Amino acid sequence: MTFPVLPLAATADDAAAFAVTGKTLVPFSAVKPEKYLLARFPSSVTVSVDASNDAVSADEAIALLNVGISQIFVDFDRFAALVAAGVPPARLAVESSAPEVLQSKAALVVKEPLDKDTLKSFSNSGNREVFYRGAVDQNSAQTLAAQGYTLVLPTSQLTVAPEDPAQISISSVFVATLTTDRPDGLYTTLVTTPAPSYTALGVVYSSQASIKAAIAEGQGVYQSRKRPDELWYKGKTSGATQKLVKLEKDCDNDVVKFVVEPRSGYGFCHLETNYTCFQDGELRESADSSGVGLAKLDATLAQRKANAPEGSYTKRLFNDDKLLVAKMKEELDELIEAGEKKDKNEVAWEAADLFYFAMTWAVKHGVSLAEIERNLDIKSMKVTRRKGDAKPQYVDEPAAKKRRTETEEEVPSYKMNIVKASEASSEEITQALTRPNQKTSDIMKLVLPIVENVQKNGDKALVELTAKFDGVELKEPVLKAPFPAELMDISADMKEAIDLSMSNIEKFHKAQLPKEEVMTVETAPGVYCSRFAKPIENVGLYVPGGTAVLPSTAMMLGTPAKVAGCKNIILASPPSRATGKLTPEVVYVAHKLGASAIVMAGGAQAVTALAYGTESVVKCDKILGPGNQFVTAAKMHVQNDTQALCSIDMPAGPSEVLVIADEHADADFVASDLLSQAEHGVDSQVILLGVGLSDAKLASFEEAVARQAEVLPRKEIVAKCLAHSTTLLVETYEEAFRLSNQYAPEHLILQIENPESFVPGQIENAGSVFVGGLSPESCGDYSSGTNHTLPTYGYARQYSGVNTATFQKFITSQNVTEEGLKSIGKAVMTLAAVEGLEAHRNAVQVRMDKLGLH
């Protein structure tokens, strides 16, 4: 708490605005000695109370100190009364220089500056804090702080900005107190995390400018030593940003301490495996948590609460109160028995078990270790103590019998969560429609080295990475057309299915072509504006593979590219780990498309090759296609890299479906549609909006889901997906469509009475709509003709699915005649003049002058 300003805050919100100081002073009239008083304030802030003008009683003061108030400001009369009542003088700040005060450990309050020797004497050579409560401006505040005073100032007079003529900048006051003997004028800076880990992340350097920027922007900002004229905004390029919690300095005023909260999933060190700069290796296996002991357990449990797989032991603990309570009681009994046996090692072991389950109980209820430690600190600050006897029901009771909970093998549950909209809060409904978390920051850290490798090493990197990730040794990474017949060896039935599907897809996408080659509009007399479409020349189509066979993706991407007239269609798909060859169905589709090549690679490496090109891969202008998180991260990266000059189709996430069903829906149809998406992966999500369902109808849906899921080959994946999926019960179709539009599903299936009457009027956001019980999503995936490459994760609010226009660019042209120049010339010159673009104005003026148009 070495910040030289103590903000006087009228409210907890005012205190939070200046939490960087690590402390606050609030009026006695604004607080009551409530048990959870400090919970209103940021956990990093120490709270004192100003009772200097109040006749606070001993009971009131002690009550405040007992609930965690650090210090109370009082006058001399109150000081004497409170000390007599047993209040420790160190918990008081007094406006008096009486001998009784100076001989105690109380802090002092002055309203006028003291001379140097008196200040040194009153402060006991720096061992006693001296508060200054007189009037100040910016210059005098800095001078007084540099002399060693802590300035008590109302928050209304303060600002976090580097300078403000109307307010006092706390950052300027802070830096005024610092000293340095370094030739470059920088300050050695220790960076740590806050409670509960208090981890030292590393040592950096600060300047006055970087400290002011950090306070103003509330983030970790330091001084770059490589570029002395630049500030180092931590994480600006890497994403490893830091929230500034508070700022401190050491007793000699030459070392600064930043207390920061690193962004989740990131460390401080430039080496990705280290959380700190001290070679800890904490991030080698996972970026979910770091540190040691209880702090690491706290972080780990918080991650598992959000992401633990359904059916896992940890998820059971969070979901099953009875089980978790039983485990806490069991471990307490075992800890007691270990103590009775005088077994030191067993006591440590059983205490660790008890801490684990107790922390699980706390995290389950939204309580962090930092909050627990703060309450421990509050208890340690109590002035009065309880007698400490146990409650009668716990006295002389024998240890309970062992409470063992067997961890039987889990039977998969195919139950979806059920929420009744009429009984749920808006927050609960929003939570029900929230998709599973995507940890893009963790993925991107793994993807970037792959991107850099392929950029640098080209084909060589593709061959090496295919061997590493797909287990296939290749001589060349690209298969060029014409493709060998033996690589397209598929059954007649399969050929017929592909041919039929591609024909339907081609029909639907040809219908999307512009009706005229050039669309022209005369916008004003003699002004002709035109628009025409041209195909994107080189397109890269990513087709997932390896363990899956996905010719449908090749069809859905390649057919509209062919219809649009793209000159160079390149596929990318990893070879099968089992055969070492490309999926023959994909090669056959590539042949029918007239593709020029297939890149035999997957993941981020394939995307990079398509975006930047290699010795044998032509650089593409646009990349399209679904994939895992690595593929998505790589696509997002290359889209934002100006060196790549490559666009993508859309952001992608896990597959999803939303089914709206009413009392007329067939339960087997509904169940089959939900399960067709649930089997995609554990991060997929399915939502059922039930309109006016009876209990019997809902039960029939649940029975059909369980019955059909049990016989699926991927039933474990289905169970995990259904665990974070929801049945949301509503009363009206209007409410159902409102929630559907809010969710913006990839696939929307309408199994309701007269579904055609709701399309398109009620549909605002959806990737593709399947109308009626006989229109399963599977038809759109393969053969109906619509495209199955659709926006997921809510992006249907702003993106369309892949279509013919996806593979086109639209160019405009204008032809202005003499009549046209006369029509719009004056308007053009007027607008150019007001924007200060004289050359723009003149380009029209010279033409009008030559034509005599005035």
Side-chain angles (χ1 to χ4, degrees):
M1 293 193 303
T2 54
F3 205 103
V5 175
L6 175 60
L8 176 58
T11 66
D13 288 341
D14 291 341
F18 295 93
V20 68
T21 64
K23 52 194 172 185
T24 193
L25 179 67
V26 295
F28 174 72
S29 59
V31 294
K32 294 180 180 180
E34 301 162 332
K35 184 176 181 180
Y36 304 120
L37 171 61
L38 292 197
R40 293 160 45 192
F41 296 87
S43 60
S44 60
V45 171
T46 299
V47 182
S48 298
V49 166
D50 182 16
S52 53
N53 295 317
D54 299 282
V56 58
S57 68
D59 287 343
E60 289 171 326
I62 290 171
L64 287 170
L65 296 173
N66 280 346
V67 295
I69 294 300
S70 174
Q71 204 168 39
I72 302 177
F73 283 52
V74 295
D75 61 18
F76 176 73
D77 291 338
R78 288 295 91 203
F79 168 78
L82 295 177
V83 171
V87 174
R91 304 289 293 279
L92 302 171
V94 192
E95 187 184 339
S96 173
S97 58
E100 296 91 331
V101 176
L102 295 177
Q103 292 167 12
S104 75
K105 294 183 178 180
L108 298 184
V109 180
V110 298
K111 292 185 176 179
E112 296 290 340
L114 305 174
D115 62 62
K116 183 178 180 180
D117 290 338
T118 303
L119 177 60
K120 182 177 181 181
S121 173
F122 279 15
S123 69
N124 193 16
S125 298
N127 288 291
R128 184 204 311 272
E129 192 163 18
V130 179
F131 295 96
Y132 185 86
R133 298 199 70 171
V136 294
D137 58 15
Q138 185 71 58
N139 289 333
S140 61
Q142 293 174 199
T143 300
L144 290 165
Q147 292 172 359
Y149 294 96
T150 298
L151 308 177
V152 179
L153 295 169
T155 55
S156 60
Q157 297 179 16
L158 301 177
T159 179
V160 296
E163 57 183 24
D164 186 328
Q167 293 178 304
I168 293 173
S169 166
I170 63 171
S171 60
S172 294
V173 174
F174 183 87
V175 299
T177 66
L178 301 178
T179 62
T180 180
D181 56 3
R182 291 178 55 87
D184 56 8
L186 301 182
Y187 309 104
T188 304
T189 301
L190 174 66
V191 185
T192 77
T193 61
S197 64
Y198 303 103
T199 301
L201 297 174
V203 175
V204 295
Y205 294 88
S206 296
S207 63
Q208 292 194 7
S210 69
I211 292 171
K212 290 180 179 180
I215 292 176
E217 301 186 35
Q219 61 177 294
V221 183
Y222 311 104
Q223 183 62 50
S224 171
R225 287 195 295 161
K226 293 181 180 179
R227 301 179 181 86
D229 295 328
E230 292 184 17
L231 301 184
W232 172 28
Y233 284 75
K234 175 64 178 169
K236 187 175 183 179
T237 55
S238 67
T241 52
Q242 301 172 335
K243 176 186 175 183
L244 179 60
V245 177
K246 64 179 177 179
L247 205 59
E248 299 178 346
K249 56 191 175 70
D250 76 336
C251 57
D252 293 323
N253 299 315
D254 60 0
V255 175
V256 178
K257 179 181 175 184
F258 272 63
V259 182
V260 300
E261 286 180 0
R263 183 180 175 189
S264 177
Y266 287 86
F268 185 76
C269 185
H270 70 284
L271 300 176
E272 296 177 353
T273 58
N274 293 327
Y275 183 66
T276 75
C277 286
F278 302 109
Q279 297 290 314
D280 54 273
E282 286 281 348
L283 306 182
R284 275 194 297 262
E285 295 183 6
S286 171
D288 286 350
S289 61
S290 59
V292 296
L294 289 176
K296 185 169 187 175
L297 174 63
D298 179 50
T300 300
L301 288 173
Q303 290 288 338
R304 290 182 180 174
K305 180 183 178 184
N307 302 313
E310 198 64 32
S312 67
Y313 183 49
T314 306
K315 195 70 170 181
R316 285 182 63 206
L317 289 174
F318 280 121
N319 289 344
D320 189 342
D321 278 1
K322 187 175 180 181
L323 172 61
L324 183 50
V325 169
K327 290 302 297 181
M328 286 191 290
K329 291 179 178 180
E330 174 187 334
E331 297 303 336
L332 176 59
D333 289 344
E334 292 181 351
L335 176 60
I336 293 169
E337 287 187 7
E340 290 172 346
K341 295 176 181 177
K342 311 297 182 185
D343 189 331
K344 177 182 176 181
N345 291 331
E346 190 66 8
V347 168
W349 182 271
E350 297 300 341
D353 282 346
L354 181 58
F355 286 165
Y356 173 83
F357 291 106
M359 280 301 303
T360 302
W361 183 257
V363 170
K364 171 186 172 69
H365 291 91
V367 177
S368 68
L369 179 59
E371 292 170 290
I372 295 172
E373 288 187 347
R374 192 178 198 193
N375 280 278
L376 287 172
D377 292 339
I378 291 171
K379 295 175 190 294
S380 73
M381 295 171 71
K382 283 190 174 183
V383 175
T384 57
R385 299 284 185 262
R386 294 186 302 179
K387 183 179 178 182
D389 289 339
K391 294 179 180 179
Q393 64 266 38
Y394 294 101
V395 178
D396 297 327
E397 282 287 324
K401 295 180 180 180
K402 295 291 183 184
R403 305 174 182 94
R404 304 268 182 213
T405 303
E406 299 297 331
T407 57
E408 303 94 352
E409 183 178 349
E410 285 293 319
V411 176
S413 170
Y414 305 110
K415 294 273 290 184
M416 295 167 63
N417 302 304
I418 297 177
V419 175
K420 290 186 177 180
S422 61
E423 300 175 4
S425 66
S426 58
E427 291 80 9
E428 289 171 326
I429 292 175
T430 299
Q431 181 61 37
L433 297 176
T434 298
R435 293 163 169 90
N437 241 355
Q438 299 295 301
K439 297 184 180 178
T440 54
S441 59
D442 290 349
I443 297 297
M444 191 61 77
K445 287 189 290 187
L446 299 173
V447 163
L448 289 179
I450 297 173
V451 172
E452 292 167 1
N453 186 7
V454 176
Q455 277 187 277
K456 180 180 179 182
N457 299 308
D459 286 353
K460 179 174 178 288
L462 287 179
V463 170
E464 292 174 350
L465 292 169
T466 299
K468 177 180 179 180
F469 293 120
D470 300 296
V472 178
E473 300 283 350
L474 298 174
K475 292 182 179 180
E476 299 292 338
V478 176
L479 180 67
K480 295 186 180 293
F483 308 120
E486 63 269 21
L487 296 183
M488 298 182 278
D489 185 15
I490 57 177
S491 68
D493 284 347
M494 179 56 68
K495 281 187 179 181
E496 183 180 347
I498 291 175
D499 292 347
L500 170 68
S501 299
M502 291 185 70
S503 174
N504 290 343
I505 297 167
E506 185 170 350
K507 289 175 187 175
F508 184 69
H509 287 78
K510 273 188 174 180
Q512 299 170 28
L513 287 168
K515 302 304 180 187
E516 51 190 347
E517 183 178 3
V518 180
M519 179 273 294
T520 302
V521 176
E522 187 177 10
T523 60
V527 180
Y528 300 94
C529 295
S530 302
R531 181 177 185 262
F532 52 91
K534 289 291 181 180
I536 296 172
E537 187 172 353
N538 302 309
V539 293
L541 313 181
Y542 185 84
V543 180
T547 59
V549 178
L550 295 173
S552 60
T553 299
M555 295 187 300
M556 292 293 177
L557 296 173
T559 305
K562 180 183 176 184
V563 168
C566 297
K567 295 179 182 178
N568 194 17
I569 299 174
I570 303 172
L571 273 64
S573 189
S576 166
R577 182 181 292 268
T579 66
K581 298 178 181 179
L582 291 168
T583 304
E585 292 84 355
V586 171
V587 180
Y588 178 70
V589 172
H591 165 71
K592 284 185 65 71
L593 293 172
S596 62
I598 303 175
V599 180
M600 294 183 288
Q605 58 271 27
V607 172
T608 306
L610 294 172
Y612 299 95
T614 70
E615 303 94 309
S616 56
V617 180
V618 175
K619 180 195 174 331
C620 294
D621 303 307
K622 189 169 188 176
I623 299 173
L624 306 94
N628 60 22
Q629 292 181 359
F630 294 92
V631 171
T632 299
K635 286 172 65 179
M636 297 296 285
H637 173 78
V638 300
Q639 176 183 240
N640 293 323
D641 184 2
T642 54
Q643 292 184 1
L645 287 176
C646 182
S647 68
I648 66 172
D649 46 358
M650 68 191 84
S655 189
E656 61 196 32
V657 68
L658 187 149
V659 179
I660 301 179
D662 60 14
E663 196 72 14
H664 302 279
D666 185 295
D668 286 330
F669 292 174
V670 171
S672 66
D673 286 338
L674 295 171
L675 295 174
S676 69
Q677 290 304 301
E679 72 174 354
H680 271 293
V682 297
D683 53 356
S684 297
Q685 188 177 50
V686 300
I687 300 291
L688 172 61
L689 290 179
V691 182
L693 296 184
S694 64
D695 290 345
K697 193 67 176 182
L698 177 59
S700 72
F701 289 169
E702 292 183 312
E703 184 278 329
V705 167
R707 171 169 39 82
Q708 293 182 32
E710 185 57 38
V711 298
L712 292 175
R714 296 163 68 89
K715 63 182 181 181
E716 290 81 8
I717 290 175
V718 167
K720 291 175 181 178
C721 171
L722 294 179
H724 55 70
S725 299
T726 301
T727 297
L728 193 54
L729 302 177
V730 298
E731 296 300 324
T732 65
Y733 295 108
E734 289 75 14
E735 186 176 10
F737 281 101
R738 180 182 64 80
L739 292 172
S740 174
N741 288 324
Q742 175 184 329
Y743 184 74
E746 177 188 16
H747 305 100
L748 171 60
I749 300 179
L750 305 182
Q751 298 207 37
I752 54 181
E753 191 174 23
N754 299 320
E756 298 86 355
S757 65
F758 296 95
V759 183
Q762 293 292 328
I763 313 296
E764 298 295 336
N765 302 316
S768 190
V769 185
F770 300 83
V771 183
L774 299 181
S775 303
E777 182 265 327
S778 310
C779 289
D781 268 353
Y782 297 109
S783 304
S784 65
T786 61
N787 208 289
H788 81 193
T789 306
L790 303 168
T792 64
Y793 218 70
Y795 283 107
R797 294 183 184 88
Q798 55 274 114
Y799 283 90
S800 305
V802 165
N803 55 75
T804 305
T806 306
F807 295 89
Q808 295 174 306
K809 50 188 183 287
F810 291 84
I811 303 169
T812 59
S813 68
Q814 46 272 306
N815 182 4
V816 182
T817 65
E818 181 176 341
E819 182 186 17
L821 203 58
K822 186 176 181 179
S823 298
I824 66 173
K826 182 180 179 181
V828 173
M829 289 191 293
T830 301
L831 290 168
V834 79
E835 292 187 355
L837 298 175
E838 178 58 24
H840 282 63
R841 191 200 66 78
N842 187 57
V844 175
Q845 182 72 63
V846 295
R847 287 168 169 80
M848 295 187 72
D849 287 346
K850 287 198 173 186
L851 294 172
L853 300 176
H854 295 291

